Amino acid sequence: MNHDDSVLLHTEGHLRHITLNRPRALNALNHAMVLRIDEALAEAERDDSVIAVLITGAGERGLCAGGDIRSIHDDARAGGTASTAFWRDEYRLNARIARYPKPYVAIMDGIVMGGGVGVSAHGDVRVVTERSRVAMPETGIGFVPDVGGTRLLGSAPGELGTHLALTAQAAGAGDALLCGLADHFVPTRDLAALTAELADCGTPGEIEATVRDHAGPAPDSELAAHREWIDACYRADSVEEILDRLDGSGVPAAGRAAETIRAKSPTALKVTLSALRRARELDSLEAVLDQEYRTSCTAFAGADLVEGVRAQIIDKDRSPRWSPAELAQVTEEDVARFFAPLGDRELGLAPARWTVG
């Protein structure tokens, strides 16, 4: 089978190396890349000489900035189906990574956003550096965190994940470790030596030990100092109440967070909060991905995703005209629609639940 060079594969010692190779696009994922990564993982799983898999991003800027949202914007405007087909395979890949039987090592250096989180933060061994900026920025483009992001953020201590999801704020290395999005801190200058040593490992156990040997103390978490007001404000039951608490806290950082949140899509904010709370009640990543596929497909059919990408990426005027424009105009019924079953279009990763009536 012929492949383009957007995903590079090579084996060094017992290590299968996957490199995302669209550096000019910050290694943004497209459908062909997702299928190639999935195929590479299947091949490595069958190959007894491969002990572990390593995923990295080409270039100096980061692992992956997420899905190719410009093409998603164009597809949505045209009423196409390419994006929902892409998400179907992308979310299946996320589930495969989480269940992968060999050590899956992700180097989360530089920018790691959206789909980049999906191909890294579900792995066994997740390495951040002083350059890491890990984010699920979907509310800023009228979308809802996906690729298992609602499970990852919903599992963060207290309400830290709610804060990151609603503000779309990026987490540095210390924050990523605190929030459970990463496991080890390795300085960027040591990554080449780490990669070389991983290739010499002969057992899965040596992989983890080698990373631990290279790991050092991470920079302090910025969020740790803000846990008190974050937990107090974001545990509220609605976005409106969260904003009221942020405004009334008297903490300057909380006021800035409220201002940031108010610039996001009102619909996306309400759906995101509901998705995070629902994800906490679901018993598997697969069930969360099924839920996220529903929210993604519904967002794809709405107006805010096209408008958000237009404002942030296409025209870059940073002035999206959300519809509805106010939180009060987004009803409970509007939010519930995002979680409605899709019938024969369901992703269907989680086993069906049979009930005896």
Side-chain angles (χ1 to χ4, degrees):
M1 188 184 295
N2 292 321
H3 298 284
D4 65 22
D5 61 357
S6 59
V7 177
L8 302 178
L9 305 171
H10 73 275
T11 302
E12 208 174 324
H14 297 290
L15 185 69
R16 187 64 162 158
H17 196 151
I18 300 172
T19 305
L20 307 182
N21 188 41
R22 293 181 68 205
R24 290 180 63 184
L26 231 168
N27 302 318
L29 293 171
N30 58 34
H31 203 160
M33 292 169 72
V34 163
L35 294 174
R36 185 64 182 125
I37 297 166
D38 191 71
E39 181 183 8
L41 290 177
E43 291 169 355
E45 186 174 339
R46 293 190 298 265
D47 188 340
D48 291 340
S49 71
V50 173
I51 296 295
V53 170
L54 174 73
I55 190 164
T56 62
E60 299 300 315
R61 295 166 64 202
L63 172 66
C64 174
D68 191 336
I69 58 174
R70 186 180 289 262
S71 66
I72 292 169
H73 165 275
D74 295 346
D75 187 36
R77 283 193 65 185
T81 58
S83 299
T84 55
F86 163 65
W87 290 324
R88 181 175 288 276
D89 287 325
E90 184 184 24
Y91 301 171
R92 289 181 180 280
L93 172 62
N94 303 145
R96 180 193 277 275
I97 290 168
R99 303 282 181 253
Y100 202 63
K102 299 180 179 183
Y104 182 100
V105 183
I107 304 297
M108 301 170 72
D109 187 34
I111 298 293
V112 186
M113 294 186 177
V117 174
V119 296
S120 58
H122 297 300
D124 306 284
V125 185
R126 305 162 302 172
V127 176
V128 284
T129 73
E130 73 280 0
R131 300 178 348 113
S132 295
R133 304 298 293 161
V134 184
M136 296 299 295
E138 287 76 10
T139 55
I141 57 165
F143 198 51
V144 180
D146 64 340
V147 299
T150 58
R151 182 175 176 87
L152 292 164
L153 294 175
S155 302
E159 296 295 336
L160 294 177
T162 311
H163 171 69
L164 291 176
L166 296 185
T167 60
Q169 179 179 319
D175 289 338
L177 290 163
L178 174 64
C179 292
L181 301 171
D183 306 298
H184 302 285
F185 174 80
V186 176
T188 300
R189 66 175 182 273
D190 293 344
L191 291 178
L194 170 61
T195 301
E197 284 191 36
L198 287 173
D200 292 333
C201 292
T203 67
E206 288 179 44
I207 296 289
E208 176 78 39
T210 298
V211 175
R212 207 178 295 115
D213 286 346
H214 281 268
D220 288 342
S221 162
E222 295 176 20
L223 291 177
H226 299 286
R227 272 294 300 276
E228 188 174 350
W229 66 260
I230 286 175
D231 288 354
C233 295
Y234 286 96
R235 72 167 62 101
D237 291 331
S238 69
V239 179
E240 290 94 333
E241 176 63 21
I242 288 171
L243 288 170
D244 284 346
R245 292 187 185 187
L246 290 170
D247 289 335
S249 69
V251 179
R256 291 192 294 273
E259 193 176 329
T260 298
I261 291 169
R262 285 191 171 93
K264 313 304 183 195
S265 157
T267 300
L269 289 169
K270 287 199 171 184
V271 176
T272 294
L273 181 62
S274 183
L276 286 170
R277 300 284 162 85
R278 291 168 181 249
R280 288 175 177 167
E281 303 302 317
L282 296 172
D283 60 4
S284 69
L285 173 62
E286 286 81 359
V288 171
L289 289 164
D290 284 346
Q291 173 175 280
E292 290 176 348
Y293 190 69
R294 295 179 197 124
T295 61
S296 295
C297 288
T298 307
F300 182 71
D304 276 3
L305 176 58
V306 167
E307 173 61 10
V309 177
R310 179 207 64 75
Q312 302 295 342
I313 306 297
I314 310 292
D315 298 338
K316 295 186 170 67
D317 61 25
R318 306 288 192 267
S319 299
R321 294 179 291 275
W322 304 122
S323 179
E326 303 292 336
L327 283 165
Q329 297 172 305
V330 183
T331 67
E332 288 183 14
E333 291 74 23
D334 292 334
V335 173
R337 206 164 43 80
F338 281 77
F339 300 92
L342 300 173
D344 59 6
R345 295 187 298 123
E346 283 281 286
L347 182 60
L349 282 178
R353 292 281 189 264
W354 296 98
T355 55
V356 178

